[in-house]
Amino acid sequence: MGRRPAAVATYCGVCALSVCAAAVGGADPAGVHPEQWPQVRSARPADPQLEARIAALLAHMTLEQKVGQLIQADIGSITPEDLRHYPLGSILNGGDSAPRNDKLAAPSEWLALADRFYDAAVGGPASAGLQPLWGTDAVHGDNNVPGATIFPHNIGLGAAHDSELVRRIGAITALEVRVTGLDWAFAPTVAVARDVRWGRTYESYSEDPQLVRKYAAAMVTGLQGAAGTPRFLDATHVLATPKHFLGDGGTAGIDQGDNRASEQALRDLDSPGYVAAIAAGAQTVMASYSSWQGLKMHGNRALLTLVLKGRMGFDGLALGDWDAHAQLPECTRASCASALNAGIDVLMAPRSWRELFDNTLRQVQAGEIPAARLDDAVRRVLRVKLRAHLDQEGRPSSRPFAGHFALLGSPEHRALARAAVRESLVLLKNRNHLLPLSPRLHVLVAGDAADSLARQSGGWTIDWQGTEPNAAFPHGETIFAAIQHCVSAAGGSATLSPAGEFHPRPDVAIVVFGEHPYAEFKGDVPTLEYSPGDKRDLALLRHLRAADVPVVALFVSGRPLSVNAELNAADAFVAVWLPGLEGGGIADVLFRTAEGRVRYDFRGRLSFSWPSSPRPPAVDGQPGEPPLFPLGYGLRYRDPGDLRQLPES
Ligand code: BGC
Ligand code: BGC
């Protein structure tokens, strides 16, 4: 394993000695060869003035204040008052956490709570001169806040193949996060999902690393502003967090599982999103729950410290995931020196933050966590805070755009979300050119997902698993409502009957069905067969066809699934993914104008291979079934859309 390259040598000039020693001599014990990984040319040259300010801050910090910077608590378990005594460097709201523990708390309550945390932090003895950061899972818009614009989940954006769209979505998401006074989005997920049985597939843009690479740069630029310009992390932007480092998409469909790829495959398939995100100025990276070759990522010093921070030159902070450190064999939620020593800078300890603080302090005092590692981690946190101008920002509510609640779900923002929906739809079948439809028809809208904002939005929407009723959303248009709006304006009609009952016979039926919301491990499935235990949707499609009603199937899902029987039973079939709140984007494409013009053609192309059977398709040279529709597939209106009869086993 060749000699240590110059970049690592330079990095070692400013890093903890323990790191430098390990970098010498090629292969790390974990079987990693840092010199074979890409070097990143960052848009941010080293800034001696910034480093001097960090050093000055560090010099005045107590050990307690330093340790506090390394710990992140959840707002469900920490009060502003606690911050007067515990100098934590950051807080988060998990997917189920909200002000007053009320998921429907108004946006103004988020901002008021941000002020209370700020006041407590800067007023108390705990302050290290910089207030805490507040991070949130703004993964498809500012999705925890009722009223925010909700964009399609990443899988749909992948099908749009439009980086500029993704950048604009990032910019609007950042602005909406700013309205409620928060600083930090735990996005984008840059996982390259290669087995769609994984419950987080919809958080992945694509199985194609090159598409993920482009989108990672676009989303980081949208959220943070363009690195190297005055807009970077200004008052309209927030910190971005490419996640989950590294290899979460390669765990054979098992959330938090083990990625068995070779080092080369891990590098070539899983890392391009990070390389691009860091080059675009990403300031924080979240580590993965998953393992690589049996070793949990939170303990993988070679990948976190030598590759990410060394070779890739990442000088921001590496954040742990929700209690993920507790999965290291030697750790608990409340104690984990080894994750910090491996290179995690901030441990996400939602509930156990207090005990973790006490234990970490003891471990630093006992030398279990070397002073140099502590200082390196704190420097990284301070660097991110200063780059985010936290020293110049006053109370959250005093910042530009804070409290401008009309920006949440503003007509302009929702228009972009609607455009994103239009671009994300993938037409898989269109027999006899059934689509586009005339808006003068009498349309039956069926299927149990036709009138549900939660179904069309998926997980990470208001709450973690995405289970809120329509009434929880201050605005949004269900797919049925959008169809009804479109046809009634043109002289047609739309009737909703989830079970597909009708009288008299409609001109056409649009059946909206698919997966129910899920997030993370709750969405792992053992087979790609759609709805193995319940064939009611298939029966509904067949029932309508048997009654001579032409059938358009709209498949709502977080991943492609084996739907041969449903494809056979429908005349037209559209993958709509998880479009979010703007059902109007679907009606825009399905219906002509009253004058008969095509309003919008389909533009989406698959960013994931579509399975031909319940077994996963071959992806990236791995063994597997041939796909039914390959990457890049997607019909236009002019294309012949008939599909041969597919095998149903
Ligand atoms: C997820 C992360 C998320 C974090 C905070 C974890 O369970 O893996 O993606 O950012 O929770 O909600
Ligand atoms: C939180 C999520 C988190 C998950 C981890 C949930 O309770 O709301 O944010 O990702 O736990 O398992």
Side-chain angles (χ1 to χ4, degrees):
M1 304 307 102
R3 297 210 33 86
R4 179 162 52 99
V8 174
T10 314
Y11 165 74
C12 284
V14 296
C15 77
L17 287 173
S18 55
V19 169
C20 305
V24 185
D28 181 86
V32 174
H33 305 82
E35 73 284 359
Q36 295 174 9
W37 287 68
Q39 274 184 297
V40 181
R41 201 170 297 283
S42 165
R44 288 167 290 98
D47 178 348
Q49 272 177 349
L50 177 76
E51 296 306 318
R53 285 166 63 210
I54 295 168
L57 280 171
L58 195 68
H60 288 100
M61 287 170 81
T62 64
L63 213 49
E64 286 78 3
Q65 287 174 329
K66 288 182 181 181
V67 168
Q69 296 298 315
L70 313 193
I71 292 170
Q72 182 172 90
D74 183 90
I75 60 161
S77 306
I78 189 167
T79 64
E81 189 53 29
D82 288 328
L83 277 190
R84 293 191 195 277
H85 312 288
Y86 289 88
L88 299 199
S90 57
I91 54 175
L92 88 148
N93 61 282
D96 282 330
S97 307
R100 283 190 297 107
N101 208 8
D102 176 2
K103 293 174 205 172
L104 303 186
S108 57
E109 296 189 63
W110 288 77
L111 182 57
L113 184 58
D115 274 349
R116 289 176 54 217
F117 276 116
Y118 173 92
D119 292 343
V122 303
S127 165
L130 291 171
Q131 71 259 28
L133 291 165
W134 180 344
T136 187
D137 291 294
V139 300
H140 64 144
D142 188 16
N143 43 250
N144 282 104
V145 177
T149 306
I150 299 295
F151 296 95
H153 267 299
N154 287 350
I155 191 167
L157 300 184
H161 293 270
D162 184 346
S163 305
E164 177 55 15
L165 171 75
V166 169
R167 189 197 62 76
R168 291 171 68 202
I169 290 174
I172 286 179
T173 301
L175 192 59
E176 294 202 3
V177 171
R178 279 290 189 158
V179 167
T180 58
L182 278 58
D183 320 279
W184 186 357
F186 297 151
T189 295
V190 297
V192 179
R194 299 194 284 289
D195 184 329
V196 302
R197 291 175 299 179
W198 187 33
R200 304 193 80 158
T201 298
Y202 66 83
E203 297 186 60
S204 170
Y205 294 119
S206 180
E207 72 187 36
D208 172 7
Q210 296 318 316
L211 182 59
V212 173
R213 179 178 61 77
K214 283 189 214 136
Y215 272 22
M219 186 51 89
V220 167
T221 303
L223 287 167
Q224 297 195 342
T229 74
R231 305 293 314 273
F232 184 65
L233 290 172
D234 70 5
T236 64
H237 292 102
V238 296
L239 293 163
T241 306
K243 67 187 187 182
H244 309 81
F245 188 85
L246 178 69
D248 52 349
T251 57
I254 295 168
D255 193 41
Q256 311 190 0
D258 188 19
N259 185 326
R260 309 293 307 172
S262 67
E263 181 184 6
Q264 191 190 342
L266 188 75
R267 180 191 69 199
D268 296 345
L269 301 178
D270 293 297
S271 82
Y274 296 93
V275 172
I278 293 165
Q283 293 297 300
T284 84
V285 166
M286 191 187 294
S288 184
Y289 277 114
S290 57
S291 305
W292 178 56
Q293 299 198 358
L295 181 63
K296 281 281 168 190
M297 277 307 308
H298 279 63
N300 195 319
R301 194 178 53 84
L303 288 172
L304 290 170
T305 299
L306 305 186
V307 171
L308 176 66
K309 297 179 175 179
R311 186 70 178 169
M312 295 182 182
F314 174 67
D315 65 1
L317 70 87
L319 173 65
D321 203 343
W322 182 279
D323 274 338
H325 54 274
Q327 297 189 10
L328 299 188
E330 64 281 12
C331 290
T332 65
R333 283 178 190 179
S335 169
C336 195
S338 58
L340 292 167
N341 286 336
I344 301 288
D345 300 305
V346 177
L347 293 170
M348 193 187 290
R351 301 187 185 108
S352 57
W353 56 271
R354 202 185 307 258
E355 297 82 355
L356 185 66
F357 176 88
D358 294 339
N359 288 327
T360 306
L361 187 60
R362 241 193 319 275
Q363 286 155 349
V364 166
Q365 284 159 341
E368 273 175 66
I369 297 166
R373 173 77 269 267
L374 174 71
D375 282 356
D376 172 49
V378 176
R379 249 187 245 113
R380 287 170 176 276
V381 177
L382 298 180
R383 192 176 291 129
V384 170
K385 289 185 169 181
L386 289 176
R387 285 204 183 119
H389 308 297
L390 231 59
D391 54 330
Q392 292 155 35
E393 293 205 292
R395 278 183 111 207
S397 63
S398 74
R399 301 173 192 170
F401 302 102
H404 292 227
F405 298 115
L407 286 171
L408 295 175
S410 72
E412 191 192 338
H413 294 183
R414 290 181 63 189
L416 183 69
R418 183 166 174 156
V421 173
R422 287 195 294 265
E423 287 198 37
S424 69
L425 308 174
V426 182
L427 179 62
L428 298 178
K429 178 178 182 179
N430 193 17
R431 188 158 66 175
N432 297 331
H433 293 277
L434 174 60
L435 297 176
L437 301 170
S438 158
R440 298 175 188 277
L441 300 178
H442 298 291
V443 184
L444 171 70
V445 182
D448 63 3
D451 196 32
S452 163
L453 293 171
R455 289 287 292 279
Q456 66 193 49
S457 297
W460 300 110
T461 311
I462 300 196
D463 61 27
W464 183 37
Q465 295 294 324
T467 56
E468 296 297 316
N470 286 356
F473 297 85
H475 61 75
E477 207 176 14
T478 66
I479 296 172
F480 165 67
I483 291 170
Q484 187 178 44
H485 188 208
C486 172
V487 298
S488 57
S493 69
T495 311
L496 176 68
S497 167
E501 285 146 6
F502 57 82
H503 181 78
R505 193 153 60 97
D507 298 319
V508 66
I510 298 178
V511 184
V512 192
F513 66 103
E515 291 192 305
H516 290 258
Y518 52 79
E520 301 190 48
F521 50 89
K522 302 217 179 208
D524 286 0
V525 288
T527 164
L528 292 184
E529 178 181 350
Y530 169 60
S531 191
D534 177 353
K535 295 296 171 190
R536 275 178 293 180
D537 295 321
L538 179 59
L540 174 59
L541 298 170
R542 286 180 174 158
H543 157 76
L544 291 163
R545 265 280 284 280
D548 259 338
V549 179
V551 174
V552 178
L554 301 184
F555 188 56
V556 177
S557 73
R559 57 191 140 208
L561 286 168
S562 173
V563 284
N564 287 7
E566 290 80 3
L567 277 160
N568 286 337
D571 296 284
F573 196 105
V574 184
V576 305
W577 314 113
L578 298 170
L581 294 184
E582 305 308 327
I586 294 175
D588 287 344
V589 178
L590 293 188
F591 289 93
R592 298 174 182 273
T593 63
E595 298 73 40
R597 265 186 309 107
V598 170
R599 252 184 269 242
Y600 295 95
D601 200 348
F602 279 91
R603 294 191 38 184
R605 289 182 284 117
L606 294 179
S607 65
F608 284 88
S609 308
W610 196 284
S612 55
S613 87
R615 287 177 300 280
V619 170
D620 254 309
Q622 301 300 304
E625 304 284 306
L628 177 60
F629 304 116
L631 216 55
Y633 184 86
L635 299 169
R636 303 289 176 266
Y637 276 138
R638 63 177 175 277
D639 296 327
D642 291 5
L643 196 63
R644 67 189 156 85
Q645 178 77 13
L646 301 170
E648 302 177 14
S649 48

